[in-house]
Structure formats: structure tokens, C-alpha cells
Amino acid sequence: MRHKNIPVFIPHLGCPNDCVFCNQRVISGTQVFREEDVKAGIDEAVAALSPGDEAEIAFFGGSFTGIDRGLMTRLLELSAGYVRRGKVKSVRCSTRPDYIDAGVLSVLSRYGVGTVELGIQSVEDRVLAACRRGHTAADSGRACRLVTEAGFRLVGQMMIGLPASSPTDEVRTAEAICDWGACAARVYPTVIFCGTELSRMAKDGRYRPLGADEAVSRTADVLEVFDRRGIPV
């Protein structure tokens, strides 16, 4: 049985922040979100599934739990219909740690959401501040506990080579994601996109981009942490 995500990209919707590294329109390839296009995109992806595929509708890109509550509910109602009809197994969404609370999780649970991905990125407050994340490591730990205690599967997202980050910081972040109850992780080496504050920081010498070998080495270090703890990446 193969797991497949059916991605629905909502670039920058629900996110009040402009992290220095972020340009979701470039990352996702989605320039404009159109609610009326979502159903057709899901239908096309469902039709392309092979027998035995285990699929989830996945809301990626912005901070799903921070978007307009009416829009979030409509998207959840749409996706829940596919779960009820047996077309997909469940729903997942990605969001920020500071956009998680008991009320939000109660809404998600009513609509077949099984997995919550949290953009933790780092557990060092100085790194989060340098990246203008707008939340602290304590916010991340609190959100992870709320997600797991509510019975959701938790996926922790982290980044390699962020401004002010060191290899030791990244290993600590991987360990924290495991300690906070994640059942899976995503590891993203930092890439510079045009039009971001990070691109300006690199041009004027405030940020040194990772070379390929360094990115591989630092990523391997955190992969060893997750492997040792039995967390798929």
C-alpha cells in the first residue's frame, strides 16, 4: 500500500508573517488561490489513484488554521466528503505552532483531519528571531503537545542552514521534534528564493548560503537522529 498526498496549496493564506526565507507562491507554483478550483483538482487526483493507494487530501502552503474560518470550514467540509465516500483515508494540513489551540483542533477533528504538520523550523529562539518567525520555541512545544494529546498524528517540519543556526542547533531541533511526539518529520535545507528578505541578506553579506556538500552533511546529522528514534522522514 502506497501513501499519497493530494496537495491543495493555499500560498500565504492565513499567514500574517513574512519569514525571511519564504515565498510560497514560488515554492508551490501556485500564484493565485481560487476556491472554486479546489474540487476539480481533488477529483482529478482521486481519479489518478491506483488500486491500493492510501491517499490524504493535504492543505499545504499557508497556515491552514489561520485562514478565514468560513473558508477553512468550507474546505474541510469538501474534503470530509471524500473521506465519507471512501475516496481518501483522511485529511492533513500544515500550519504554524502559534495557530494551534484547543478550539482549532476541535474543528479539525470534526472533519476527518488525521495529521497536523507543524512548521517548527528550529527550537532556538535566536534562530526564530533571525528568521522573523513570529513565535518562540515554547510555542512549538505547546502546540505539539496539544496536537498529540488531541489524538492527531504530528509531523514536525524543520530547516537546515537557517540564519544564525548551527549544526548543533539542528540536531537539538530534531531531538525536540522526536521528544514532542512526532510520528514523522520533514527536513528542508534552506534554499534562497528571489524576492525574499533572505535573498537580500545573502547579497549584502548578512547570510551565507549553504553549499551542496554542507547541506548534505548537516541534513545527514539530523537524519541520524530521526533514524535512531524510529521517525520516518
Side-chain angles (χ1 to χ4, degrees), residues 72-122:
M72 186 180 82
T73 301
R74 292 193 301 274
L75 292 173
L76 288 171
E77 286 176 342
L78 174 66
S79 58
Y82 292 88
V83 177
R84 289 193 297 267
R85 296 192 299 275
K87 300 294 186 180
V88 301
K89 182 180 180 181
S90 64
V91 181
R92 73 169 57 201
C93 66
S94 63
T95 193
R96 293 167 53 90
D98 50 342
Y99 274 22
I100 288 291
D101 58 35
V104 163
L105 293 174
S106 177
V107 173
L108 297 182
S109 68
R110 293 201 299 268
Y111 290 100
V113 176
T115 303
V116 176
E117 300 199 17
L118 287 182
I120 294 166
Q121 317 314 2
S122 176

Side-chain angles (χ1 to χ4, degrees), residues 3-228:
H3 176 85
K4 289 189 175 181
N5 285 330
I6 297 174
V8 178
F9 289 105
I10 50 170
H12 286 297
L13 290 182
C15 190
N17 233 51
D18 263 331
C19 300
V20 297
F21 52 79
C22 192
N23 186 333
Q24 284 291 342
R25 292 177 178 85
V26 173
I27 294 167
S28 67
T30 301
Q31 299 299 312
V32 178
F33 174 78
R34 288 165 47 91
E35 182 182 353
E36 59 268 32
D37 294 338
V38 173
K39 184 178 185 303
I42 296 174
D43 285 340
E44 181 179 358
V46 167
L49 294 173
S50 300
D53 286 344
E54 184 179 271
E56 283 185 306
I57 296 171
F59 293 103
F60 290 145
S63 297
F64 185 71
T65 58
I67 67 177
D68 173 78
R69 185 58 59 90
L71 173 59
M72 186 180 82
T73 301
R74 292 193 301 274
L75 292 173
L76 288 171
E77 286 176 342
L78 174 66
S79 58
Y82 292 88
V83 177
R84 289 193 297 267
R85 296 192 299 275
K87 300 294 186 180
V88 301
K89 182 180 180 181
S90 64
V91 181
R92 73 169 57 201
C93 66
S94 63
T95 193
R96 293 167 53 90
D98 50 342
Y99 274 22
I100 288 291
D101 58 35
V104 163
L105 293 174
S106 177
V107 173
L108 297 182
S109 68
R110 293 201 299 268
Y111 290 100
V113 176
T115 303
V116 176
E117 300 199 17
L118 287 182
I120 294 166
Q121 317 314 2
S122 176
V123 296
E124 293 294 336
D125 283 340
R126 73 175 187 287
V127 176
L128 297 173
C131 295
R132 298 200 312 227
R133 281 292 290 166
H135 67 80
T136 66
D139 293 325
S140 296
R142 175 196 59 82
C144 289
R145 286 189 290 273
L146 286 173
V147 168
T148 56
E149 288 171 1
F152 294 92
R153 294 183 296 275
L154 170 68
V155 178
Q157 302 174 353
M158 64 171 292
M159 294 181 69
I160 303 296
L162 287 170
S165 184
S166 71
T168 300
D169 297 331
E170 290 152 9
V171 168
R172 287 190 65 251
T173 298
E175 293 281 9
I177 288 173
C178 297
D179 291 343
W180 289 339
C183 65
R186 295 186 189 272
V187 181
Y188 300 94
T190 301
V191 174
I192 298 175
F193 290 99
C194 291
T196 61
E197 178 63 21
L198 193 62
S199 69
R200 292 184 282 274
M201 292 169 65
K203 287 177 182 177
D204 64 21
R206 290 178 291 146
Y207 174 72
R208 181 182 65 82
L210 291 177
D213 289 345
E214 184 180 9
V216 169
S217 175
R218 288 168 69 160
T219 303
D221 288 343
V222 303
L223 185 59
E224 287 182 1
V225 173
F226 290 119
D227 282 347
R228 185 174 67 250

